[in-house]
Amino acid sequence: YSTGQPENAEDQITSWWLQVADLDFGFGHQLFGLPDQTNIVTGLIYGIVVLLGSAYAFQAVVSDSGSRVPEIARFFTTFFHFQLLLYIFISLVKLPKLCSPIQEYYLTHLYMECDVLWFVFIERVIVLVVVASFSIWIFSSFSFVLTHGPNAHIAVDRPEYGRHADAPPNPRSSQSKLALHGNVERPQPRTDSTRHALVGPAVQVPGL
């Protein structure tokens, strides 16, 4: 509310379930120390961008429109990860202001002890992060199939790859690989400072 003053829960026309959704996904309530109108307009613009991007990706995947579907799916997978990271960041920003001013001034239907509110909020954040992570995992697998084909897992998960991974390393091949990168000391020519090594054997003159 624009007054910035504590409100009476009985006078609020907002339902409690809507305030729970506001607690989970709200972008306002003096979140970054900015006026509520700035926070809410920023959240509205971000929500419109997310909605349009999701609708475009959904339409492209469902309609199977051309060869750009794998590219769009990979792009949306990255965008999905960004949304999850942003949600975690916003949730961490909310924690210091959870009891005051968010609950005290705006979400008065959710009145409870501060420790209980923290527990409820963190529990809901963890559940949402787990569900979103599984969703990203599923869509990432779908994006992988769109990119590499339905039989791509056969080329990736071959049994011989596991045997090669479990095999002991070959020291000769390891030394050759290190030598290619210049990490193995190459044998240096032996240097001998004796007279025999420098001038060779004595010369015998015939007839003497």
Side-chain angles (χ1 to χ4, degrees):
Y1 290 91
S2 59
T3 59
Q5 300 295 326
E7 308 243 352
N8 187 359
E10 296 179 355
D11 298 334
Q12 281 193 354
I13 59 175
T14 308
S15 302
W16 67 268
W17 57 268
L18 190 58
Q19 291 192 5
V20 171
D22 190 356
L23 178 67
D24 291 335
F25 308 108
F27 214 90
H29 312 326
Q30 307 177 27
L31 197 58
F32 295 102
L34 300 173
D36 270 352
Q37 185 176 3
T38 303
N39 285 332
I40 292 174
V41 170
T42 303
L44 179 63
I45 294 174
Y46 172 73
I48 292 175
V49 171
V50 171
L51 182 61
L52 292 177
S54 302
Y56 175 72
F58 179 78
Q59 185 271 338
V61 171
V62 171
S63 61
D64 195 12
S65 55
S67 60
R68 294 195 59 200
V69 176
E71 180 183 356
I72 295 173
R74 294 195 303 270
F75 170 79
F76 188 72
T77 302
T78 305
F79 185 57
F80 210 165
H81 282 88
F82 171 75
Q83 292 182 63
L84 181 59
L85 292 176
L86 184 62
Y87 172 73
I88 295 174
F89 171 73
I90 294 296
S91 300
L92 292 177
V93 172
K94 283 182 181 180
L95 282 177
K97 302 183 177 183
L98 196 59
C99 299
S100 179
I102 294 179
Q103 188 277 326
E104 181 181 3
Y105 287 9
Y106 302 98
L107 308 179
T108 54
H109 283 304
L110 305 182
Y111 174 75
M112 63 189 75
E113 293 185 5
C114 189
D115 294 339
V116 179
L117 184 60
W118 267 57
F119 175 79
V120 171
F121 178 72
I122 294 175
E123 181 185 37
R124 294 177 66 84
V125 168
I126 292 175
V127 171
L128 289 173
V129 168
V130 170
V131 172
S133 300
F134 273 109
S135 302
I136 293 175
W137 179 33
I138 294 172
F139 192 83
S140 299
S141 302
F142 179 64
S143 174
F144 178 81
V145 172
L146 288 178
T147 303
H148 302 286
N151 297 323
H153 65 282
I154 299 177
V156 175
D157 298 330
R158 291 184 176 178
E160 56 267 26
Y161 292 164
R163 292 196 294 270
H164 290 317
D166 296 334
N170 188 349
R172 299 183 63 181
S173 62
S174 301
Q175 290 179 3
S176 62
K177 291 179 181 178
L178 292 175
L180 291 175
H181 296 282
N183 295 326
V184 172
E185 296 183 358
R186 294 177 175 83
Q188 300 296 329
R190 181 177 178 181
T191 58
D192 194 351
S193 59
T194 62
R195 178 183 178 282
H196 181 79
L198 293 175
V199 300
V203 178
Q204 300 293 331
V205 179
L208 293 180

